[in-house]
Amino acid sequence: MACGQPGVVFRRVAHSTAERAFESQTHMWWLASRPAWVAPGWYDAPLRPAVRHLLSLPPGPELAAALATIPDTVDACPADHSGELGPADPPIGVPGSPCACMVVVAAAWDAQTSWSAERARRALTAAAGSEPIVLPAAGAAPRVVDPAREEIAAALRGSPASTAARIHAARQSARIPLLGSGAEAGAWSRTTAQLIAADLQDCPADTAADIAVELAGKVRQRHITGLRPWTGTETRRAAARITHRLAPGHTAAARRRAKAGRRVEIDHDAHGMSRITAHLPTLDAQRIHRRLTALAAGLDDATRTSDQKRADTLADLLLATPHSRHTPGCQGTCGGDTCAATPLPAGEAAQVNVVVSMETLLGLADDPAEVPGVGPLAPELARTLAAQGAWRAWITDAAGQVTATGTRSYTPGPALARLVRAREPVCRMPGCTRPARQCDLDHAVAYPEGPTTPRNLGPLCRRHHNLKTHRGWRLRITPDHPDDPDTQGSGGYSWTTPAGITIHDRPPPPLDREPRPPRCEPPPDWG
């Protein structure tokens, strides 16, 4: 059966040494030249020809046309994927257990949606104007701002107020065209571009453009080296780190303005419930949440979830109630006013880790510090916290990676556990943000075949630990350096999904030590 026939899965296979060398060169070329929305692991994934064709198309009319020829796979993929990954593997290519074809098609539609959203943003800006249009007062008539707002709102089936917000967001993005072109190409989503543009709204236009160029360079570098694409949150944090360095005055002023807007709001919901939202400085919010978590963990009540315990503890503390107002078993249905009192636990101290370079700590540099899993922190605030807090050293190598030795037992000792969680502050499943302190320390190669060493350990939250152990996800450690496979650092790692897609990543250093592209570098060609 020829690989071009409908329903046939196409996988590249090289046999001879010359074929393997050619395949390697072809793969490297493909990594650098593929469209921005295409992940590197899709190259070797088993895909039927119509889906593999999508990998060569950037978002736009051609991709839309190609997607239109692919029928919806409501029940199952038309290709037979049985036995691809081994006879013991469960069936794939069905809802709930997708094949690589189904994953790629979903990603292609998402990239096409981002392209359409950016085109819609440009059209909205063109209709409303790149700057507010003000009609001056005429006699008794007051001035009017953006007279086209109501007309656009009617066309978009929105209220004038919501349309005004959309126009404002579109104008913010228009100040930094590279963010829009990245969204259009699928390098990041339209939502991510909009959030970053809002973060940079008070930054001078030329500085904002420099920040966007450096951000695009970092995203492009991950793209051509085969690392997994950043999530929207990771892309936004990377932009924040660059802003801290290139525009420290802007970040300080923006931080003061944001802090001036701290507030507590209440939103009444249905069924006798309401939502209280506190807009607070990040470190304060982190400490409060961790303190609530610590207190809730000490409540011996299996009938309540952790979220319910945190909510109940918050109410008890703020209402100055020395005991929990919720009896085990009632699940809060009584409202808490007549429940028997249960003492609140003392809990444990809430800690927030801050990573800062020695140069910044001594005042020799003003590089931003980092709150693992949260984002950059102003250097002056890091120095203030350092003067007030307890210390634990994290030793790094020249590349900024944390290094240490291991143990021969199954359970890592406290020092080794601290090291691994310092090196990787969140779960290593791509895109997961569960803090490492709430994760298991997983042996990439199962013990005792795999030793209890920094290289073989990594944080996995309980869900993703379960997926790796029982649900067909496979993890492989890759060397720190190709010429030194026995290096003791964390190196990189590759996940293989149940559908056969490979995702390569490596833990980022706790501080931004990656090579920085020159500020004069032209914007990348998203191709």
Side-chain angles (χ1 to χ4, degrees):
M1 210 176 225
C3 65
Q5 291 181 265
V8 175
V9 173
F10 177 69
R11 184 198 291 270
R12 290 174 168 82
V13 179
H15 299 285
S16 68
T17 302
E19 286 176 329
R20 287 195 295 270
F22 176 77
E23 175 66 16
S24 177
Q25 294 176 351
T26 303
H27 191 192
M28 294 301 296
W29 170 85
W30 183 82
L31 280 177
S33 62
R34 73 190 192 281
W37 70 275
V38 176
W42 300 344
Y43 180 84
D44 292 316
L47 300 171
R48 63 184 194 271
V51 176
R52 182 167 294 279
H53 174 60
L54 302 178
L55 305 186
S56 64
L57 302 176
E62 286 187 74
L63 181 59
L67 283 168
T69 66
I70 296 177
D72 292 338
T73 52
V74 177
D75 298 320
C77 179
D80 181 11
H81 293 277
S82 59
E84 284 180 353
L85 305 178
D89 286 323
I92 59 174
V94 295
S97 184
C99 60
C101 300
M102 299 166 78
V103 172
V104 170
V105 169
W109 276 114
D110 192 66
Q112 188 63 24
T113 299
S114 184
W115 180 88
S116 299
E118 171 58 19
R119 290 300 181 98
R121 195 275 307 166
R122 293 182 189 177
L124 179 60
T125 305
S130 58
E131 299 290 341
I133 307 297
V134 180
L135 298 182
R143 72 172 192 163
V144 176
V145 179
D146 285 332
R149 181 191 305 166
E150 281 68 22
E151 186 175 0
I152 296 172
L156 300 183
R157 298 176 177 84
S159 68
S162 65
T163 302
R166 290 181 62 176
I167 292 172
H168 176 69
R171 287 169 174 163
Q172 283 181 336
S173 296
R175 292 181 61 244
I176 315 173
L178 185 55
L179 291 178
S181 62
E184 190 176 15
W188 45 68
S189 71
R190 176 66 232 146
T191 300
T192 299
Q194 182 172 316
L195 289 171
I196 295 174
D199 292 340
L200 300 175
Q201 62 178 321
D202 297 322
C203 203
D206 55 346
T207 305
D210 287 341
I211 293 168
V213 167
E214 184 162 331
L215 174 66
K218 286 180 175 291
V219 171
R220 178 64 177 167
Q221 184 63 27
R222 292 183 67 86
H223 183 77
I224 63 178
T225 54
L227 293 179
R228 69 166 179 87
W230 275 332
T231 65
T233 297
E234 290 169 329
T235 305
R236 193 179 179 193
R237 286 177 184 167
R241 295 186 193 101
I242 298 169
T243 306
H244 269 273
R245 180 166 43 80
L246 296 187
H250 161 73
T251 54
R255 189 168 60 252
R256 288 192 296 270
R257 285 191 299 271
K259 187 174 182 180
R262 60 192 183 277
R263 61 196 179 274
V264 177
E265 299 174 332
I266 185 169
D267 179 28
H268 297 295
D269 208 342
H271 310 299
M273 299 295 289
S274 295
R275 181 177 291 102
I276 291 180
T277 304
H279 193 65
L280 299 171
T282 298
L283 285 181
D284 290 345
Q286 282 280 99
R287 287 168 169 155
I288 290 171
H289 190 267
R290 292 189 183 181
R291 179 62 174 165
L292 289 173
T293 300
L295 289 170
L299 293 175
D300 186 14
D301 180 5
T303 65
R304 284 184 283 172
T305 66
S306 296
D307 283 335
Q308 290 171 339
K309 290 178 182 179
R310 271 191 292 264
D312 296 344
T313 301
L314 176 64
D316 292 333
L317 291 174
L318 292 181
L319 296 176
T321 305
H323 300 85
S324 172
R325 299 174 299 129
H326 296 90
T327 299
C330 81
Q331 298 183 351
T333 55
C334 65
D337 296 326
T338 59
C339 287
T342 303
L344 281 173
E348 59 183 66
Q351 297 181 344
V352 175
N353 293 325
V354 178
V355 185
V356 58
S357 70
M358 185 62 71
E359 297 91 336
T360 296
L361 190 63
L362 297 177
L364 302 177
D366 280 320
D367 296 327
E370 184 83 5
V371 179
V374 176
L377 183 70
E380 62 271 16
L381 182 54
R383 285 190 282 264
T384 300
L385 291 173
Q388 300 171 350
W391 279 88
R392 175 173 291 127
W394 290 358
I395 310 302
T396 65
D397 59 17
Q401 296 286 359
V402 183
T403 58
T405 57
T407 175
R408 294 183 181 275
S409 64
Y410 171 76
T411 303
L416 179 56
R418 286 196 299 267
L419 163 75
V420 175
R421 291 187 169 106
R423 184 190 69 205
E424 299 180 60
V426 298
C427 172
R428 58 171 40 171
M429 174 64 74
C432 182
T433 58
R434 174 77 65 175
R437 68 182 183 280
Q438 300 174 12
C439 293
D440 302 330
L441 293 184
D442 167 68
H443 289 72
V445 178
Y447 184 87
E449 288 79 11
T452 305
T453 60
R455 177 171 176 75
N456 195 44
L457 289 175
L460 282 180
C461 68
R462 188 57 56 86
R463 169 182 170 82
H464 295 141
H465 199 168
N466 180 40
L467 289 180
K468 172 181 177 288
T469 305
H470 303 292
R471 302 298 177 183
W473 285 77
R474 284 159 288 179
L475 178 64
R476 181 176 62 88
I477 301 299
T478 57
D480 282 356
H481 309 288
D483 299 329
D484 186 13
D486 296 323
T487 180
Q488 291 299 303
S490 64
Y493 45 86
S494 294
W495 286 97
T496 301
T497 75
I501 295 174
T502 301
I503 305 171
H504 183 61
D505 200 8
R506 62 169 177 259
L511 296 175
D512 184 9
R513 298 298 195 193
E514 296 181 3
R516 299 164 183 162
R519 293 183 64 180
C520 60
E521 177 182 308
D525 179 10
W526 297 115

